[in-house]
Amino acid sequence: MPIIGANGLLVLVPMAFFLESRAAAGQFDATFYSLQVVELLAGATNLVLMGLNMRDGIRLSGKAAPTTQVTLTSSETIATGTMAFHLTKPAGFQHQAGQWIRLTIAGTAADDGNASSRILSIVSAPNEPQITVATRLSDSAFKRSLSTLPDGAELTVAGPSGTFTLHEDASRPAVFIAGGIGITPFMSMLRDVTATTTPHKIALFYSNRAPAAAPFLSELEELQKANSNIQLIATMTDLDAHDGWVGETSKIDQDMLRRHLRELDAPIYYCVGPAAMVTATQKMLSAAGVAEQDIRVESFTGY
């Protein structure tokens, strides 16, 4: 888009005014026709770039990805207001840890104005025999239908898609920052690095209101025990007196990062969660001196 805008402002608009003035003066010389060719080439370039933008937008939406039928094998509540859904894995289905699928429920009544499908991060690791997704429940038609599906229900999956995956250079540590259901792509990554004994050092900062509302918290504690390269820093920001939490209780900020990390500018940072949290985290990391290219984010909307 920046190239399209610059081409329009710096080439097409000035060229249009110039050619119009030459035409009004009747100056149809070699310069006029040469500049007209340049204008046509610049316009064609913008049309090609706009087409590529549309293609990439369709790819990012998951609507152009191949679809296949899957079966719901089971579902379970994994935290307050949050459920996980286990699906059969189609033959040939392969994904990278951190990618997502578009899940469609046939016949969903979109009475809330939303589509009958949602983009959901894959929780399961690539080596697992099934596809697992998880989502926070809401009053949308899609979420209501999904939460009440019986085992054996047929659904449509498009994907996998997405580039939110762990960097290859294991010499650089990774810092995961997750809020609530934003933990889902990180679960796939953490399960994967543990199963494959990948040597990446990973620190996970995980924020929730309370332990009961924290999806996969007990599994994360077990992963930390099983994999010495994983460090879990969980924080609960809205505790009741009976919660009995003894860990962090503040929002994830520079002070918390500095207490648990040796150097703030050494890792690659990954952040997933509600859009407001992701934006605030990006600003916080930039203010701490983290380079823009070392911050990778995904925003979850439509809870």
Side-chain angles (χ1 to χ4, degrees):
M1 288 303 292
I3 296 175
I4 294 172
N7 193 22
L9 290 174
L10 301 178
V11 179
L12 291 174
V13 173
M15 198 74 70
F17 282 113
F18 182 80
L19 291 173
E20 192 277 335
S21 66
R22 300 279 289 198
Q27 296 176 322
F28 298 101
D29 53 13
T31 300
F32 177 87
Y33 290 112
S34 297
L35 292 178
Q36 195 170 50
V37 170
V38 172
E39 182 185 38
L40 290 173
L41 290 173
T45 299
N46 264 14
L47 288 174
V48 171
L49 291 175
M50 286 189 287
L52 292 174
N53 270 351
M54 291 175 63
R55 180 203 65 186
D56 291 342
I58 293 172
R59 285 180 177 176
L60 286 173
S61 71
K63 294 179 180 178
T67 61
T68 186
Q69 295 299 115
V70 297
T71 302
L72 177 68
T73 58
S74 64
S75 60
E76 59 181 318
T77 299
I78 56 172
T80 303
T82 304
M83 291 184 68
F85 301 87
H86 307 290
L87 314 169
T88 54
K89 180 182 285 190
F93 183 95
Q94 295 180 329
H95 77 281
Q96 293 178 277
Q99 289 190 302
W100 47 264
I101 56 173
R102 178 179 287 276
L103 188 66
T104 301
I105 305 173
T108 302
D111 55 12
D112 57 357
N114 292 321
S116 60
S117 62
R118 288 288 189 280
I119 288 175
L120 298 172
S121 292
I122 302 171
V123 172
S124 45
N127 67 305
E128 294 182 43
Q130 60 186 3
I131 301 172
T132 298
V133 296
T135 186
R136 183 183 298 171
L137 302 181
S138 71
D139 288 333
S140 74
F142 177 87
K143 297 289 183 72
R144 290 198 307 270
S145 296
L146 183 61
S147 66
T148 57
L149 284 177
D151 293 352
E154 297 293 319
L155 303 98
T156 301
V157 163
S161 302
T163 59
F164 191 79
T165 55
L166 187 63
H167 60 275
E168 294 184 359
D169 183 5
S171 67
R172 295 198 67 182
V175 172
F176 295 167
I177 300 175
I181 197 60
I183 193 62
T184 49
F186 295 140
M187 288 304 305
S188 182
M189 294 184 196
L190 293 170
R191 289 179 179 183
D192 187 45
V193 298
T194 301
T196 60
T197 64
T198 303
H200 288 73
K201 299 283 187 181
I202 301 174
L204 167 64
F205 291 82
Y206 185 27
S207 178
N208 286 277
R209 297 186 306 275
F216 303 108
L217 180 59
S218 59
E219 181 179 346
L220 288 167
E221 292 169 341
E222 292 302 316
L223 285 171
Q224 179 179 227
K225 294 176 182 177
N227 188 342
S228 60
N229 287 329
I230 296 175
Q231 177 188 10
L232 171 64
I233 304 97
T235 182
M236 305 297 160
T237 59
D238 189 20
L239 293 167
D240 290 330
H242 64 271
D243 283 322
W245 179 253
V246 294
E248 295 277 1
T249 57
S250 62
K251 292 183 179 180
I252 301 170
D253 55 15
Q254 281 193 47
D255 290 338
M256 185 183 293
L257 295 180
R258 292 184 190 281
R259 287 199 302 272
H260 296 280
L261 302 176
R262 291 183 179 179
E263 299 175 276
L264 293 192
D265 59 354
I268 304 290
Y269 290 83
Y270 300 78
C271 179
V272 186
M277 175 203 166
V278 169
T279 299
T281 300
Q282 285 179 287
K283 292 180 179 178
M284 180 267 290
L285 292 174
S286 296
V290 178
E292 182 179 353
Q293 64 268 22
D294 292 337
I295 305 172
R296 305 175 185 183
V297 301
E298 271 198 349
S299 297
F300 280 9
T301 57
Y303 286 114

